Amino acid sequence: MIKAILFDLDGTLTLMDQEEFMKNYIGLLAPRFKQYIFPDKFAKQLNRSTEVMIKQPQEGKTNLQTFFADFTKATGLTYHTLWPVFEAFYTTDFPALRLLVKLNPHGKEAVETALQKGYTVAIAANPVMPLLAIEERIRWAELSPQIFSVIPSIESFHYCKPHTGFYAELAENLGLQPSECLMVGNHPVEDVAAQEIGMQTFYVGEPVEGIQTTYQGDISDLTGKIREGSL
């Protein structure tokens, strides 16, 4: 029996051109650190350390700790030097990127319908950004962060998608078994990976050859299933 519905953000609750968004994101972020490191070098190391964080999680370390262990090793710049700059960026500059993001009204409707039907709802975006930024992205979907029981972030989680540890940690934070959770997302690998630990999945998009999922369709189809009680 499904008790919680877990929602991806980008491409699911909101719509964007990922390449354009990342170009502008880095374009705003990198100059913030120019007193410590050239913007081009910062951008390259940001990408490298993020890749390490995603692909090489460290036992007992949060994503933030794993990221900074690699970033500090490569640049000599410490968490205490850099983190306040990141926080200032996410507070003042990051909200401007909303112009590149479109609301998926069907996504908002799905979340609100799930709540009305008594489901627990959680965010299941990749925890590669601080809570401050992920809450901002939730507001871009015209939803309140307070309605979600769990919001994974770089500070609190120890794994990223598609690692099954991410989904196990999400279920644990909800106090549920994986089999009691439905993962909703538009990525045929990162989001459908939830099935590996026993979650059901709703893949948002056209069928992909070789990818098996519990449900598939537009997110409006999910809303219909929630309303009719057929999950």
Side-chain angles (χ1 to χ4, degrees):
M1 179 181 175
I2 298 299
K3 295 181 179 178
I5 303 180
L6 323 177
F7 290 92
D8 177 45
L9 272 171
D10 301 337
T12 302
L13 297 183
T14 56
L15 306 172
M16 68 167 70
D17 181 320
Q18 189 73 23
E19 186 175 339
E20 181 187 22
F21 182 87
M22 289 307 298
K23 179 181 177 181
N24 282 271
Y25 168 75
I26 296 294
L28 287 176
L29 179 62
R32 278 269 186 177
F33 296 87
K34 62 184 179 182
Q35 62 180 310
Y36 304 115
I37 184 172
F38 289 119
D40 285 350
K41 185 178 180 181
F42 172 86
K44 289 176 182 177
Q45 191 57 49
L46 179 76
N47 288 330
R48 288 188 190 121
S49 296
T50 299
E51 186 175 358
V52 168
M53 177 181 69
I54 291 171
K55 295 183 177 180
Q56 300 174 34
Q58 302 296 308
E59 184 71 29
K61 289 186 176 181
T62 64
N63 292 338
L64 184 68
Q65 291 169 330
T66 300
F67 172 86
F68 270 107
D70 188 76
F71 199 95
T72 296
K73 182 180 178 181
T75 65
L77 298 168
T78 67
Y79 165 84
H80 296 290
T81 297
L82 298 177
W83 189 242
V85 185
F86 275 106
E87 287 189 310
F89 164 78
Y90 284 114
T91 300
T92 61
D93 297 350
F94 187 73
L97 294 171
R98 182 174 190 161
L99 295 173
L100 302 175
V101 178
K102 295 179 180 178
L103 169 70
N104 182 350
H106 298 299
K108 180 182 179 182
E109 182 183 20
V111 173
E112 291 176 341
T113 303
L115 284 169
Q116 289 164 8
K117 291 294 184 179
Y119 290 99
T120 296
V121 296
I123 288 296
N126 224 355
V128 297
M129 289 184 179
L131 180 62
L132 185 68
I134 297 175
E135 288 182 339
E136 178 66 21
R137 289 163 58 199
I138 292 170
R139 287 189 283 270
W140 295 348
E142 294 188 1
L143 292 164
S144 168
Q146 283 68 41
I147 68 175
F148 295 97
S149 295
V150 176
I151 303 174
S153 69
I154 194 172
E155 307 103 315
S156 62
F157 266 58
H158 301 75
Y159 300 94
C160 296
K161 298 178 186 179
H163 199 291
T164 54
F166 167 76
Y167 293 104
E169 195 167 7
L170 195 45
E172 183 180 353
N173 274 267
L174 287 164
L176 297 173
Q177 295 298 315
S179 60
E180 296 175 310
C181 302
L182 174 68
M183 174 63 202
V184 181
N186 68 306
H187 198 289
V189 175
E190 291 184 357
D191 297 324
V192 177
Q195 290 183 151
E196 294 179 33
I197 65 162
M199 288 187 179
Q200 295 189 46
T201 55
F202 191 106
Y203 173 63
V204 180
E206 296 297 320
V208 177
E209 187 176 352
I211 300 295
Q212 300 296 320
T213 183
T214 316
Y215 305 101
Q216 179 274 324
D218 295 328
I219 201 162
S220 57
D221 297 325
L222 170 64
T223 304
K225 287 186 175 295
I226 295 171
R227 283 200 177 114
E228 66 192 26
S230 61
L231 289 177

